[in-house]
Every structure is written in structure tokens, then in C-alpha cells.
Amino acid sequence: DVKVTQSSRYLVKRTGEKVFLECVQDMDHENMFWYRQDPGLGLRLIYFSYDVKMKEKGDIPEGYSVSREKKERFSLILESASTNQTSMYLCASSSHAGVSYEQYFGPGTRLTVT
Amino acid sequence: AQRVTQPEKLLSVFKGAPVELKCNYSYSGSPELFWYVQYSRQRLQLLLRHISRESIKGFTADLNKGETSFHLKKPFAQEEDSAMYYCALKRGANNLFFGTGTRLTVIP
């Protein structure tokens, strides 16, 4: 059973703080993703990674950066948190594409920036 | 441009009634489409993929290339079907583009 875990379920930070969200998967998946989930806007891709030390911008990368030093771990970094980054953050992983392509999601981190 | 449109943010049906969640897409190539579901307090998970032509929990979805649609259907809604549903389009080799989601409520 694929397990994707996220370091925190709830996080409250102040404006201007540096924030780290951690994601770990245990299925040796090559691909990892960070999304934010907002009502009415659905899931929007922030960054993704196809391999260790590789990263690609998604649809809304502004204000975020990522790090993938190990295959199983993908970190999302908010360099200077702002109130408009208050959201639910979802991490996902997948193997490379095939007929059974599927992304597996973590439980999410609800971040509040005050 | 790749796009997925779910026109309904909210959908309410009575238990036992048919349900259809709409999804339209825009894609220049041969599309691969998925439905993901998120039940209350659970993580987002795959419900079904069009390429498998499967029925999961009584739900089916047929890809209609002429209408560029991939609507999710179930003939008799159950209370446990209440959830958030997302339509997703595969883009590139390993990426998904998600719609804005439809929250389905099944009224007892």
C-alpha cells in the first residue's frame, strides 16, 4: 500500500516567516508533486520533480521553492509566507507513466498565515 | 491549451436518484482522463481512469471525443457517495491537470 506522509496536518505561521512543508513517500516513486487546494479553484500544481535534485515549475510557482535531495522526500518552501498562501497543501507521488498511471496523495497540510 | 472544466461547484441529489457530474476538456492530442474523489476527512484518491473502462463503486465515465466530455455517472446515488469529485487530464508524461471540482451531496 502506497504511503505518502506529510509532516504536519495543521500549521500556523506569521507573515514573513520561512515555512517548510515536508513530504515523504515509501514506494520508490520517481515523481513527486506539490499542489495547493482552494475552494472553487480546485488543485493547482505548484512544483513537481521527476528525479532527485530535479524540479520543474508548475502552474503557480511564485512565492514557492522546492527541494528534492533524496528520492523519497520532497520539500516545499515558502521563503517569506504571506496571507494569500493560506491554503491546503497536498503532496503526491507517482511512478512513471503507464496504463495504470495514478498519483497517490498525502493527507494534506492546512497552512494558515496570519 | 489544456483545460478541464467542471461547470458545477455544487450538486445535490436525493438518495436513489441518478447522478451525473460533468467534465469537459480541451486537449490537442489523445486525452487520458481520470476522476479523483475526496471523502470527508480522507485523502484524495483515484476513482477511475477512462483507459480502464471500469466501473468503480457503481460509477462509470465514458470518454466522448466528439463532445470532449468525460462525465461521471451513477444510476442510483448513495449517501456514501457524498464527496468532492475532481476530473483530471493527463498532460505531458507524468502530470495531471485538475478541474475545479464538484461537491456532491446525496440527500437521504
Side-chain angles (χ1 to χ4, degrees), chain A residues 4 31 33 35 37 40-43 45 48 50 59 90 94-103 105-107, chain B residues 9 32 34 36 38 41-46 49 51-52 84 86 90-91 93-101:
Chain A
V4 180
N31 309 313
F33 309 85
Y35 296 90
Q37 182 183 33
L41 297 177
L43 270 74
L45 182 64
F48 57 100
Y50 290 148
D59 300 308
L90 300 184
S94 76
S95 61
H96 282 322
V99 292
S100 300
Y101 183 76
E102 180 175 351
Q103 289 189 10
F105 284 83
Chain B
K9 288 187 178 179
E32 283 187 59
F34 305 79
Y36 277 76
Q38 188 169 29
R41 296 189 181 85
Q42 293 188 29
R43 61 185 68 194
L44 191 63
Q45 59 187 287
L46 177 68
R49 48 172 80 86
I51 201 166
S52 302
M84 192 74 178
Y86 293 96
K90 190 151 169 285
R91 56 175 172 175
N94 293 292
N95 227 326
L96 293 177
F97 186 87
F98 286 86
T100 52

Side-chain angles (χ1 to χ4, degrees), chain B residues 57-100:
Chain B
K57 300 185 179 182
F59 283 98
T60 58
D62 291 320
L63 178 62
N64 186 324
K65 291 186 178 181
E67 295 182 358
T68 60
S69 68
F70 187 56
H71 303 329
L72 183 68
K73 299 177 184 179
K74 186 170 182 177
F76 307 104
Q78 302 299 315
E79 289 179 67
E80 55 266 30
D81 296 330
S82 294
M84 192 74 178
Y85 292 81
Y86 293 96
C87 183
L89 170 69
K90 190 151 169 285
R91 56 175 172 175
N94 293 292
N95 227 326
L96 293 177
F97 186 87
F98 286 86
T100 52

Side-chain angles (χ1 to χ4, degrees), chain A:
Chain A
D1 214 19
V2 177
K3 264 294 178 58
V4 180
T5 57
Q6 296 183 229
S7 51
S8 307
R9 292 301 303 271
Y10 300 94
L11 211 52
V12 179
K13 296 292 181 180
R14 294 194 181 275
T15 301
E17 279 193 82
K18 191 168 186 176
V19 181
F20 293 86
L21 303 183
E22 305 284 339
C23 175
V24 177
Q25 51 93 6
D26 66 358
M27 283 300 291
D28 202 35
H29 282 167
E30 295 85 3
N31 309 313
M32 296 189 75
F33 309 85
W34 275 107
Y35 296 90
R36 60 178 286 176
Q37 182 183 33
D38 299 289
L41 297 177
L43 270 74
R44 292 178 293 167
L45 182 64
I46 304 171
Y47 267 96
F48 57 100
S49 170
Y50 290 148
D51 202 348
V52 176
K53 297 194 184 296
M54 285 187 59
K55 58 185 178 183
E56 298 283 345
K57 292 180 180 180
D59 300 308
I60 52 164
E62 296 79 18
Y64 304 94
S65 62
V66 290
S67 172
R68 189 152 181 217
E69 296 296 317
K70 293 185 178 181
K71 190 175 186 179
E72 67 271 17
R73 189 178 297 269
F74 193 34
S75 302
L76 180 69
I77 303 154
L78 287 67
E79 294 289 342
S80 177
S82 64
T83 54
N84 62 12
Q85 293 177 311
T86 291
S87 186
M88 173 69 87
Y89 290 87
L90 300 184
C91 175
S93 73
S94 76
S95 61
H96 282 322
V99 292
S100 300
Y101 183 76
E102 180 175 351
Q103 289 189 10
Y104 297 86
F105 284 83
T109 296
R110 185 166 294 283
L111 172 67
T112 302
V113 182
T114 62

